[in-house]
Amino acid sequence: MKIEFTPQEEEFRKEISTWLKENLSGKFSSVMGRGGSGDQTGLFSERVKWEQHMGANGWTCISWPKEYGGREASINEQVIFYEEYTRAGGPGRVGHIGETLAGPTILSFGTKDQKERFLPKIRLGQEYWCQGYSEPSAGSDLSAVQTKAELINGKWKINGQKIWTSLAQESDWIFILCRTTPKSKGRDGLSYILAPMDQKGITVRPIKQMTGESEFNEVFFDDAEANANDLIGEVGKGWQVAMGTLGFERGASTLGQQMAFEQEFETVLAIAKENGKSNDPLIRNQISEAWIGLKIMRYNALRMLSNNEDGILSREAMLSKLYWATWHRNLGKLAMDVLGMESEIGEEGNYNLSELQKLFLFTRADTIYAGTNQIQRNIISERALGMPKEPRGNSSS
């Protein structure tokens, strides 16, 4: 694990911080700080323009090979990028699913044709992606997905439903984990298929959340179509590809997420100092624990990133989701404790909530989406510690 940077890496830091300072101004000043917890759909079209501006200037997909428009940035350079981006108040990245999940998966498992077709438009912010994993009947058990795909006359015909699909209503493409071997169970018989969202066989239904936002969606497939060659990996081997995608999810972008957490923590701390709650011993203890948690997250992330970049989940990476989700949920609770009675008063009208009220409501979902805390504990137990698997009624594994 490295926690110091070389002079060359500090030069890289200066380059990106200068660019951000010069460009997050004027017509893009309005997007600063937007798109965070509880504000994922805020100023979306303006953030798309920012994403395209970044892409045109070579500041998206910096870890990708130069052959596909990236900078082949090292892990340390990626760390610096995300730190400076967050420190500059850069908005939530509308292209992050394409850049950090779909793109790396295509780079690792895709064909040459798939790389040439999909990667440039991701890098330039011209096409956006969503993730088709969770299903209402499968809970957080990804191996229990029931959405089916059948190859008919050169096309995959897809039927089923996904849920909790972030920003599906704004996406051009979806990567779908679905069952292509009839009567298969568990991790067997799954395939990883790419499908365009703009077609009559796909219906997107936004889910109204407590924050008033609709980041999450239900996605229905009714004879939706995908080209036969838009399969990633082999037929029936989609589980391995899906695990690769989850491995990339624990990549350097987690450090940007942690920097955003630190900004939220600093906001809560400033309010506690201002309203005197920092003098309350119980609140002081919660603040101290939150600060310690931030440091633990950073060091574990650096340890995790020091391993490999091939998408294989390391033991350190398996701790990540459980830890940050629990920490962030507790930060939301701390924010309400610091606000006191003010936390229960809306500024005006329904859903016109303050940033900390949105933070509290949004963080209630952190320990549920992308694998509940219970599922994360099973992953740590079974895959990191090698303990016996929990019986699964619908699994052949």
Side-chain angles (χ1 to χ4, degrees):
M1 180 177 70
K2 294 179 65 176
I3 56 176
E4 296 181 349
F5 301 103
T6 67
Q8 291 77 17
E9 288 164 347
E10 291 298 343
E11 279 298 312
F12 178 80
R13 182 187 298 280
K14 184 178 179 181
E15 181 184 359
I16 177 60
S17 65
T18 300
W19 188 86
L20 287 167
K21 184 178 180 180
E22 292 175 350
N23 288 271
L24 268 174
S25 60
K27 64 180 180 181
F28 291 121
S29 60
S30 64
V31 301
M32 288 181 67
R34 299 300 304 269
S37 300
D39 187 38
Q40 285 78 4
T41 58
L43 294 182
F44 196 88
S45 60
E46 290 85 349
R47 288 159 56 207
V48 166
K49 292 176 182 173
W50 167 248
E51 191 78 14
Q52 292 171 343
H53 183 67
M54 289 184 66
N57 286 275
W59 286 113
T60 59
C61 309
I62 62 171
S63 66
W64 289 13
K66 291 181 180 177
E67 177 183 3
Y68 295 106
R71 291 171 176 250
E72 297 182 0
S74 66
I75 287 294
N76 277 8
E77 288 172 333
Q78 294 175 60
V79 169
I80 289 169
F81 171 82
Y82 285 108
E83 286 183 345
E84 292 305 317
Y85 185 84
T86 309
R87 186 171 289 125
R93 296 284 305 281
V94 295
H96 74 283
I97 294 179
E99 176 172 339
T100 64
L101 301 183
T105 302
I106 293 169
L107 277 167
S108 289
F109 300 99
T111 64
K112 186 174 186 297
D113 172 68
Q114 289 167 344
K115 294 173 186 176
E116 291 176 347
R117 282 195 293 135
F118 294 117
L119 297 181
K121 291 185 178 180
I122 293 176
R123 184 180 65 79
L124 294 171
Q126 295 173 348
E127 288 184 344
Y128 295 91
W129 289 70
C130 58
Q131 182 180 44
Y133 274 14
S134 298
E135 295 188 3
S137 60
S140 288
D141 185 356
L142 188 58
S143 66
V145 299
Q146 294 301 313
T147 295
K148 296 178 174 63
E150 184 179 6
L151 191 59
I152 301 174
N153 297 327
K155 294 275 189 182
W156 290 105
K157 291 281 188 179
I158 306 165
N159 287 280
Q161 181 190 353
K162 299 291 180 180
I163 195 169
W164 311 124
T165 310
S166 296
L167 299 177
Q169 72 274 47
E170 305 286 356
S171 297
D172 302 292
W173 287 83
I174 182 171
F175 50 89
I176 310 163
L177 187 65
C178 54
R179 205 161 288 286
T180 50
T181 302
K183 298 182 180 179
S184 63
K185 294 181 179 179
R187 302 169 184 178
D188 300 327
L190 297 168
S191 295
Y192 195 105
I193 294 174
L194 315 179
M197 292 292 288
D198 186 15
Q199 58 171 298
K200 64 179 182 181
I202 293 182
T203 302
V204 177
R205 185 184 298 168
I207 299 171
K208 190 80 169 182
Q209 298 160 225
M210 288 193 296
T211 57
E213 291 270 321
S214 292
E215 175 197 359
F216 300 124
N217 298 269
E218 295 177 284
V219 180
F220 299 89
F221 303 93
D222 185 11
D223 279 340
E225 291 186 347
N227 290 328
N229 60 356
D230 285 341
L231 173 87
I232 301 291
E234 300 178 33
V235 175
K237 302 293 184 182
W239 181 259
Q240 291 85 343
V241 182
M243 291 301 98
T245 303
L246 292 180
F248 295 123
E249 192 174 32
R250 272 72 167 173
S253 62
T254 59
L255 287 161
Q257 178 193 50
Q258 289 173 24
M259 288 294 291
F261 288 174
E262 185 167 344
Q263 289 183 334
E264 293 169 350
F265 168 80
E266 292 292 343
T267 299
V268 173
L269 178 60
I271 293 173
K273 289 179 177 177
E274 183 180 338
N275 68 10
K277 286 294 181 69
S278 60
N279 296 319
D280 182 327
L282 295 178
I283 297 291
R284 290 173 69 89
N285 187 57
Q286 291 181 63
I287 290 173
S288 299
E289 289 182 347
W291 184 85
I292 292 168
L294 270 176
K295 300 305 173 186
I296 292 173
M297 271 192 285
R298 175 172 172 78
Y299 291 133
N300 189 63
L302 291 172
R303 184 175 63 159
M304 178 173 74
L305 294 169
S306 297
N307 291 322
N308 56 57
E309 302 174 58
D310 59 5
I312 296 175
L313 277 175
S314 66
R315 288 158 64 99
E316 295 83 4
M318 293 175 196
L319 303 172
S320 176
K321 170 61 172 51
L322 175 65
Y323 195 88
W324 73 251
T326 305
W327 183 91
H328 202 216
R329 183 189 61 188
N330 291 340
L331 181 71
K333 292 164 62 178
L334 172 60
M336 296 300 97
D337 288 342
V338 166
L339 286 177
M341 293 180 64
E342 185 183 334
S343 67
E344 300 183 20
I345 302 172
E347 292 184 353
E348 59 176 289
N350 293 333
Y351 293 119
N352 194 353
L353 305 174
S354 69
E355 292 304 310
L356 291 188
Q357 288 169 329
K358 288 180 182 177
L359 169 70
F360 170 71
L361 293 175
F362 182 80
T363 56
R364 312 310 294 169
D366 280 334
T367 56
I368 299 172
Y369 69 79
T372 64
N373 274 11
Q374 289 76 15
I375 287 293
Q376 300 304 321
R377 291 189 180 96
N378 270 358
I379 290 172
I380 294 168
S381 171
E382 296 173 6
R383 299 178 61 186
L385 301 177
M387 296 175 71
K389 292 185 177 180
E390 182 182 52
R392 291 181 171 86
N394 194 33
S395 173
S396 61
S397 57

mmCIF file of all heavy atoms in Angstrom, residues 209-243:
data_model
loop_
_atom_site.group_PDB
_atom_site.id
_atom_site.type_symbol
_atom_site.label_atom_id
_atom_site.label_comp_id
_atom_site.label_asym_id
_atom_site.label_seq_id
_atom_site.Cartn_x
_atom_site.Cartn_y
_atom_site.Cartn_z
ATOM 1 N N GLN A 209 -38.861 7.981 -4.622
ATOM 2 C CA GLN A 209 -38.161 7.688 -3.374
ATOM 3 C C GLN A 209 -38.519 8.714 -2.292
ATOM 4 O O GLN A 209 -39.128 9.744 -2.572
ATOM 5 C CB GLN A 209 -36.651 7.690 -3.643
ATOM 6 C CG GLN A 209 -36.233 6.619 -4.631
ATOM 7 C CD GLN A 209 -34.879 6.890 -5.266
ATOM 8 O OE1 GLN A 209 -34.692 6.752 -6.464
ATOM 9 N NE2 GLN A 209 -33.921 7.304 -4.459
ATOM 10 N N MET A 210 -38.121 8.421 -1.055
ATOM 11 C CA MET A 210 -38.438 9.292 0.071
ATOM 12 C C MET A 210 -37.894 10.698 -0.113
ATOM 13 O O MET A 210 -38.428 11.663 0.419
ATOM 14 C CB MET A 210 -37.853 8.718 1.374
ATOM 15 C CG MET A 210 -38.552 7.500 1.902
ATOM 16 S SD MET A 210 -38.051 7.135 3.595
ATOM 17 C CE MET A 210 -36.311 6.773 3.380
ATOM 18 N N THR A 211 -36.794 10.801 -0.863
ATOM 19 C CA THR A 211 -36.168 12.105 -1.070
ATOM 20 C C THR A 211 -36.904 12.946 -2.097
ATOM 21 O O THR A 211 -36.588 14.114 -2.292
ATOM 22 C CB THR A 211 -34.730 11.917 -1.574
ATOM 23 O OG1 THR A 211 -34.780 11.142 -2.785
ATOM 24 C CG2 THR A 211 -33.878 11.194 -0.546
ATOM 25 N N GLY A 212 -37.890 12.334 -2.783
ATOM 26 C CA GLY A 212 -38.563 13.010 -3.874
ATOM 27 C C GLY A 212 -37.905 12.742 -5.216
ATOM 28 O O GLY A 212 -38.452 13.078 -6.263
ATOM 29 N N GLU A 213 -36.711 12.126 -5.176
ATOM 30 C CA GLU A 213 -35.985 11.784 -6.396
ATOM 31 C C GLU A 213 -36.511 10.476 -6.983
ATOM 32 O O GLU A 213 -37.241 9.724 -6.322
ATOM 33 C CB GLU A 213 -34.503 11.604 -6.072
ATOM 34 C CG GLU A 213 -33.787 12.878 -5.685
ATOM 35 C CD GLU A 213 -33.203 13.574 -6.894
ATOM 36 O OE1 GLU A 213 -32.700 12.866 -7.780
ATOM 37 O OE2 GLU A 213 -33.257 14.800 -6.958
ATOM 38 N N SER A 214 -36.137 10.189 -8.215
ATOM 39 C CA SER A 214 -36.431 8.893 -8.830
ATOM 40 C C SER A 214 -35.173 8.379 -9.507
ATOM 41 O O SER A 214 -35.150 8.129 -10.713
ATOM 42 C CB SER A 214 -37.578 9.019 -9.845
ATOM 43 O OG SER A 214 -38.792 9.294 -9.198
ATOM 44 N N GLU A 215 -34.136 8.199 -8.719
ATOM 45 C CA GLU A 215 -32.907 7.626 -9.282
ATOM 46 C C GLU A 215 -33.134 6.181 -9.702
ATOM 47 O O GLU A 215 -32.663 5.724 -10.722
ATOM 48 C CB GLU A 215 -31.777 7.677 -8.255
ATOM 49 C CG GLU A 215 -30.508 6.995 -8.754
ATOM 50 C CD GLU A 215 -29.521 6.670 -7.645
ATOM 51 O OE1 GLU A 215 -29.800 6.995 -6.482
ATOM 52 O OE2 GLU A 215 -28.470 6.075 -7.960
ATOM 53 N N PHE A 216 -33.864 5.429 -8.864
ATOM 54 C CA PHE A 216 -34.078 4.003 -9.118
ATOM 55 C C PHE A 216 -35.303 3.777 -10.003
ATOM 56 O O PHE A 216 -36.241 4.567 -10.002
ATOM 57 C CB PHE A 216 -34.265 3.254 -7.806
ATOM 58 C CG PHE A 216 -33.078 3.367 -6.880
ATOM 59 C CD1 PHE A 216 -33.229 3.852 -5.588
ATOM 60 C CD2 PHE A 216 -31.815 2.993 -7.307
ATOM 61 C CE1 PHE A 216 -32.140 3.956 -4.738
ATOM 62 C CE2 PHE A 216 -30.722 3.087 -6.456
ATOM 63 C CZ PHE A 216 -30.888 3.580 -5.172
ATOM 64 N N ASN A 217 -35.260 2.663 -10.730
ATOM 65 C CA ASN A 217 -36.340 2.351 -11.667
ATOM 66 C C ASN A 217 -36.620 0.857 -11.693
ATOM 67 O O ASN A 217 -35.748 0.040 -11.365
ATOM 68 C CB ASN A 217 -35.936 2.756 -13.099
ATOM 69 C CG ASN A 217 -35.677 4.234 -13.234
ATOM 70 O OD1 ASN A 217 -36.580 4.997 -13.544
ATOM 71 N ND2 ASN A 217 -34.448 4.648 -12.996
ATOM 72 N N GLU A 218 -37.841 0.536 -12.108
ATOM 73 C CA GLU A 218 -38.141 -0.826 -12.543
ATOM 74 C C GLU A 218 -37.946 -0.857 -14.061
ATOM 75 O O GLU A 218 -38.272 0.110 -14.747
ATOM 76 C CB GLU A 218 -39.588 -1.182 -12.213
ATOM 77 C CG GLU A 218 -39.909 -1.237 -10.734
ATOM 78 C CD GLU A 218 -41.380 -1.521 -10.511
ATOM 79 O OE1 GLU A 218 -42.190 -0.586 -10.702
ATOM 80 O OE2 GLU A 218 -41.721 -2.660 -10.157
ATOM 81 N N VAL A 219 -37.420 -1.967 -14.569
ATOM 82 C CA VAL A 219 -37.236 -2.125 -16.017
ATOM 83 C C VAL A 219 -37.886 -3.438 -16.432
ATOM 84 O O VAL A 219 -37.546 -4.504 -15.902
ATOM 85 C CB VAL A 219 -35.746 -2.125 -16.405
ATOM 86 C CG1 VAL A 219 -35.590 -2.279 -17.920
ATOM 87 C CG2 VAL A 219 -35.067 -0.833 -15.942
ATOM 88 N N PHE A 220 -38.827 -3.363 -17.350
ATOM 89 C CA PHE A 220 -39.574 -4.543 -17.807
ATOM 90 C C PHE A 220 -39.135 -4.913 -19.225
ATOM 91 O O PHE A 220 -39.032 -4.047 -20.106
ATOM 92 C CB PHE A 220 -41.081 -4.258 -17.792
ATOM 93 C CG PHE A 220 -41.614 -3.915 -16.424
ATOM 94 C CD1 PHE A 220 -41.624 -2.596 -15.980
ATOM 95 C CD2 PHE A 220 -42.087 -4.910 -15.575
ATOM 96 C CE1 PHE A 220 -42.102 -2.273 -14.717
ATOM 97 C CE2 PHE A 220 -42.570 -4.592 -14.312
ATOM 98 C CZ PHE A 220 -42.575 -3.282 -13.875
ATOM 99 N N PHE A 221 -38.869 -6.190 -19.430
ATOM 100 C CA PHE A 221 -38.482 -6.712 -20.743
ATOM 101 C C PHE A 221 -39.619 -7.592 -21.273
ATOM 102 O O PHE A 221 -39.986 -8.593 -20.661
ATOM 103 C CB PHE A 221 -37.207 -7.551 -20.632
ATOM 104 C CG PHE A 221 -36.046 -6.803 -20.039
ATOM 105 C CD1 PHE A 221 -35.801 -6.856 -18.672
ATOM 106 C CD2 PHE A 221 -35.195 -6.055 -20.835
ATOM 107 C CE1 PHE A 221 -34.738 -6.163 -18.115
ATOM 108 C CE2 PHE A 221 -34.134 -5.355 -20.289
ATOM 109 C CZ PHE A 221 -33.900 -5.411 -18.921
ATOM 110 N N ASP A 222 -40.180 -7.187 -22.401
ATOM 111 C CA ASP A 222 -41.288 -7.922 -23.019
ATOM 112 C C ASP A 222 -40.919 -8.195 -24.471
ATOM 113 O O ASP A 222 -41.208 -7.422 -25.363
ATOM 114 C CB ASP A 222 -42.571 -7.087 -22.922
ATOM 115 C CG ASP A 222 -43.787 -7.829 -23.434
ATOM 116 O OD1 ASP A 222 -43.695 -9.051 -23.674
ATOM 117 O OD2 ASP A 222 -44.822 -7.178 -23.627
ATOM 118 N N ASP A 223 -40.237 -9.318 -24.689
ATOM 119 C CA ASP A 223 -39.662 -9.637 -26.004
ATOM 120 C C ASP A 223 -38.707 -8.536 -26.463
ATOM 121 O O ASP A 223 -38.640 -8.192 -27.657
ATOM 122 C CB ASP A 223 -40.753 -9.861 -27.052
ATOM 123 C CG ASP A 223 -41.340 -11.266 -26.985
ATOM 124 O OD1 ASP A 223 -40.664 -12.160 -26.421
ATOM 125 O OD2 ASP A 223 -42.467 -11.463 -27.467
ATOM 126 N N ALA A 224 -37.964 -7.976 -25.508
ATOM 127 C CA ALA A 224 -36.922 -7.013 -25.873
ATOM 128 C C ALA A 224 -35.853 -7.730 -26.691
ATOM 129 O O ALA A 224 -35.636 -8.936 -26.542
ATOM 130 C CB ALA A 224 -36.305 -6.413 -24.620
ATOM 131 N N GLU A 225 -35.160 -6.968 -27.545
ATOM 132 C CA GLU A 225 -34.198 -7.596 -28.452
ATOM 133 C C GLU A 225 -32.777 -7.079 -28.233
ATOM 134 O O GLU A 225 -32.561 -5.913 -27.901
ATOM 135 C CB GLU A 225 -34.600 -7.338 -29.901
ATOM 136 C CG GLU A 225 -35.872 -8.066 -30.336
ATOM 137 C CD GLU A 225 -36.155 -7.908 -31.828
ATOM 138 O OE1 GLU A 225 -35.509 -7.044 -32.477
ATOM 139 O OE2 GLU A 225 -36.999 -8.649 -32.338
ATOM 140 N N ALA A 226 -31.842 -7.996 -28.425
ATOM 141 C CA ALA A 226 -30.425 -7.637 -28.453
ATOM 142 C C ALA A 226 -29.772 -8.446 -29.568
ATOM 143 O O ALA A 226 -30.171 -9.588 -29.844
ATOM 144 C CB ALA A 226 -29.761 -7.951 -27.123
ATOM 145 N N ASN A 227 -28.796 -7.858 -30.227
ATOM 146 C CA ASN A 227 -28.105 -8.582 -31.291
ATOM 147 C C ASN A 227 -27.357 -9.790 -30.725
ATOM 148 O O ASN A 227 -26.851 -9.753 -29.592
ATOM 149 C CB ASN A 227 -27.115 -7.660 -32.002
ATOM 150 C CG ASN A 227 -27.821 -6.607 -32.830
ATOM 151 O OD1 ASN A 227 -28.906 -6.854 -33.370
ATOM 152 N ND2 ASN A 227 -27.236 -5.432 -32.907
ATOM 153 N N ALA A 228 -27.263 -10.831 -31.517
ATOM 154 C CA ALA A 228 -26.595 -12.058 -31.064
ATOM 155 C C ALA A 228 -25.155 -11.801 -30.647
ATOM 156 O O ALA A 228 -24.643 -12.411 -29.712
ATOM 157 C CB ALA A 228 -26.643 -13.112 -32.175
ATOM 158 N N ASN A 229 -24.497 -10.851 -31.344
ATOM 159 C CA ASN A 229 -23.093 -10.598 -31.036
ATOM 160 C C ASN A 229 -22.902 -9.581 -29.912
ATOM 161 O O ASN A 229 -21.785 -9.175 -29.631
ATOM 162 C CB ASN A 229 -22.332 -10.143 -32.290
ATOM 163 C CG ASN A 229 -22.906 -8.865 -32.875
ATOM 164 O OD1 ASN A 229 -23.921 -8.368 -32.389
ATOM 165 N ND2 ASN A 229 -22.274 -8.346 -33.906
ATOM 166 N N ASP A 230 -23.992 -9.180 -29.260
ATOM 167 C CA ASP A 230 -23.872 -8.287 -28.103
ATOM 168 C C ASP A 230 -23.892 -9.069 -26.804
ATOM 169 O O ASP A 230 -24.416 -8.617 -25.777
ATOM 170 C CB ASP A 230 -24.958 -7.211 -28.125
ATOM 171 C CG ASP A 230 -24.655 -6.134 -29.160
ATOM 172 O OD1 ASP A 230 -23.476 -6.028 -29.564
ATOM 173 O OD2 ASP A 230 -25.570 -5.419 -29.580
ATOM 174 N N LEU A 231 -23.309 -10.228 -26.854
ATOM 175 C CA LEU A 231 -23.093 -11.072 -25.678
ATOM 176 C C LEU A 231 -21.651 -10.876 -25.219
ATOM 177 O O LEU A 231 -20.723 -10.899 -26.035
ATOM 178 C CB LEU A 231 -23.323 -12.537 -26.061
ATOM 179 C CG LEU A 231 -22.984 -13.578 -25.008
ATOM 180 C CD1 LEU A 231 -24.166 -13.820 -24.091
ATOM 181 C CD2 LEU A 231 -22.566 -14.886 -25.690
ATOM 182 N N ILE A 232 -21.449 -10.647 -23.915
ATOM 183 C CA ILE A 232 -20.096 -10.519 -23.380
ATOM 184 C C ILE A 232 -19.676 -11.879 -22.814
ATOM 185 O O ILE A 232 -20.364 -12.448 -21.972
ATOM 186 C CB ILE A 232 -20.028 -9.455 -22.271
ATOM 187 C CG1 ILE A 232 -20.470 -8.086 -22.809
ATOM 188 C CG2 ILE A 232 -18.612 -9.365 -21.701
ATOM 189 C CD1 ILE A 232 -19.519 -7.460 -23.803
ATOM 190 N N GLY A 233 -18.549 -12.386 -23.286
ATOM 191 C CA GLY A 233 -18.108 -13.713 -22.841
ATOM 192 C C GLY A 233 -18.853 -14.816 -23.567
ATOM 193 O O GLY A 233 -19.377 -14.615 -24.663
ATOM 194 N N GLU A 234 -18.927 -15.968 -22.932
ATOM 195 C CA GLU A 234 -19.567 -17.124 -23.558
ATOM 196 C C GLU A 234 -20.997 -17.299 -23.049
ATOM 197 O O GLU A 234 -21.328 -16.887 -21.934
ATOM 198 C CB GLU A 234 -18.773 -18.401 -23.230
ATOM 199 C CG GLU A 234 -17.345 -18.387 -23.713
ATOM 200 C CD GLU A 234 -16.615 -19.654 -23.304
ATOM 201 O OE1 GLU A 234 -17.250 -20.721 -23.247
ATOM 202 O OE2 GLU A 234 -15.408 -19.573 -23.011
ATOM 203 N N VAL A 235 -21.800 -17.956 -23.887
ATOM 204 C CA VAL A 235 -23.164 -18.294 -23.474
ATOM 205 C C VAL A 235 -23.087 -19.210 -22.244
ATOM 206 O O VAL A 235 -22.338 -20.188 -22.214
ATOM 207 C CB VAL A 235 -23.924 -19.008 -24.616
ATOM 208 C CG1 VAL A 235 -25.301 -19.477 -24.129
ATOM 209 C CG2 VAL A 235 -24.070 -18.089 -25.812
ATOM 210 N N GLY A 236 -23.832 -18.853 -21.219
ATOM 211 C CA GLY A 236 -23.868 -19.679 -20.003
ATOM 212 C C GLY A 236 -22.738 -19.403 -19.033
ATOM 213 O O GLY A 236 -22.675 -19.995 -17.955
ATOM 214 N N LYS A 237 -21.832 -18.472 -19.391
ATOM 215 C CA LYS A 237 -20.694 -18.141 -18.514
ATOM 216 C C LYS A 237 -20.797 -16.697 -18.010
ATOM 217 O O LYS A 237 -19.777 -16.062 -17.711
ATOM 218 C CB LYS A 237 -19.375 -18.338 -19.272
ATOM 219 C CG LYS A 237 -19.161 -19.746 -19.814
ATOM 220 C CD LYS A 237 -18.975 -20.749 -18.686
ATOM 221 C CE LYS A 237 -18.670 -22.136 -19.243
ATOM 222 N NZ LYS A 237 -18.539 -23.148 -18.162
ATOM 223 N N GLY A 238 -21.998 -16.195 -17.926
ATOM 224 C CA GLY A 238 -22.183 -14.800 -17.543
ATOM 225 C C GLY A 238 -21.833 -14.503 -16.091
ATOM 226 O O GLY A 238 -21.531 -13.357 -15.753
ATOM 227 N N TRP A 239 -21.883 -15.524 -15.228
ATOM 228 C CA TRP A 239 -21.581 -15.283 -13.813
ATOM 229 C C TRP A 239 -20.157 -14.757 -13.644
ATOM 230 O O TRP A 239 -19.919 -13.829 -12.877
ATOM 231 C CB TRP A 239 -21.772 -16.566 -13.009
ATOM 232 C CG TRP A 239 -21.496 -16.386 -11.542
ATOM 233 C CD1 TRP A 239 -20.382 -16.728 -10.846
ATOM 234 C CD2 TRP A 239 -22.360 -15.754 -10.581
ATOM 235 N NE1 TRP A 239 -20.482 -16.374 -9.527
ATOM 236 C CE2 TRP A 239 -21.690 -15.775 -9.333
ATOM 237 C CE3 TRP A 239 -23.649 -15.186 -10.655
ATOM 238 C CZ2 TRP A 239 -22.264 -15.242 -8.167
ATOM 239 C CZ3 TRP A 239 -24.212 -14.659 -9.501
ATOM 240 C CH2 TRP A 239 -23.516 -14.697 -8.290
ATOM 241 N N GLN A 240 -19.221 -15.350 -14.378
ATOM 242 C CA GLN A 240 -17.827 -14.909 -14.274
ATOM 243 C C GLN A 240 -17.692 -13.458 -14.732
ATOM 244 O O GLN A 240 -16.936 -12.672 -14.131
ATOM 245 C CB GLN A 240 -16.933 -15.821 -15.118
ATOM 246 C CG GLN A 240 -16.787 -17.241 -14.577
ATOM 247 C CD GLN A 240 -17.901 -18.178 -15.011
ATOM 248 O OE1 GLN A 240 -18.960 -17.739 -15.459
ATOM 249 N NE2 GLN A 240 -17.665 -19.470 -14.880
ATOM 250 N N VAL A 241 -18.403 -13.095 -15.794
ATOM 251 C CA VAL A 241 -18.348 -11.712 -16.280
ATOM 252 C C VAL A 241 -18.976 -10.766 -15.245
ATOM 253 O O VAL A 241 -18.440 -9.692 -14.947
ATOM 254 C CB VAL A 241 -19.069 -11.582 -17.636
ATOM 255 C CG1 VAL A 241 -18.977 -10.149 -18.161
ATOM 256 C CG2 VAL A 241 -18.472 -12.549 -18.654
ATOM 257 N N ALA A 242 -20.120 -11.193 -14.683
ATOM 258 C CA ALA A 242 -20.813 -10.357 -13.690
ATOM 259 C C ALA A 242 -19.929 -10.110 -12.473
ATOM 260 O O ALA A 242 -19.914 -9.001 -11.916
ATOM 261 C CB ALA A 242 -22.118 -11.018 -13.261
ATOM 262 N N MET A 243 -19.180 -11.121 -12.046
ATOM 263 C CA MET A 243 -18.284 -10.953 -10.902
ATOM 264 C C MET A 243 -17.129 -10.006 -11.254
ATOM 265 O O MET A 243 -16.638 -9.260 -10.414
ATOM 266 C CB MET A 243 -17.734 -12.303 -10.452
ATOM 267 C CG MET A 243 -18.771 -13.227 -9.808
ATOM 268 S SD MET A 243 -19.565 -12.502 -8.336
ATOM 269 C CE MET A 243 -21.103 -11.859 -9.030
#
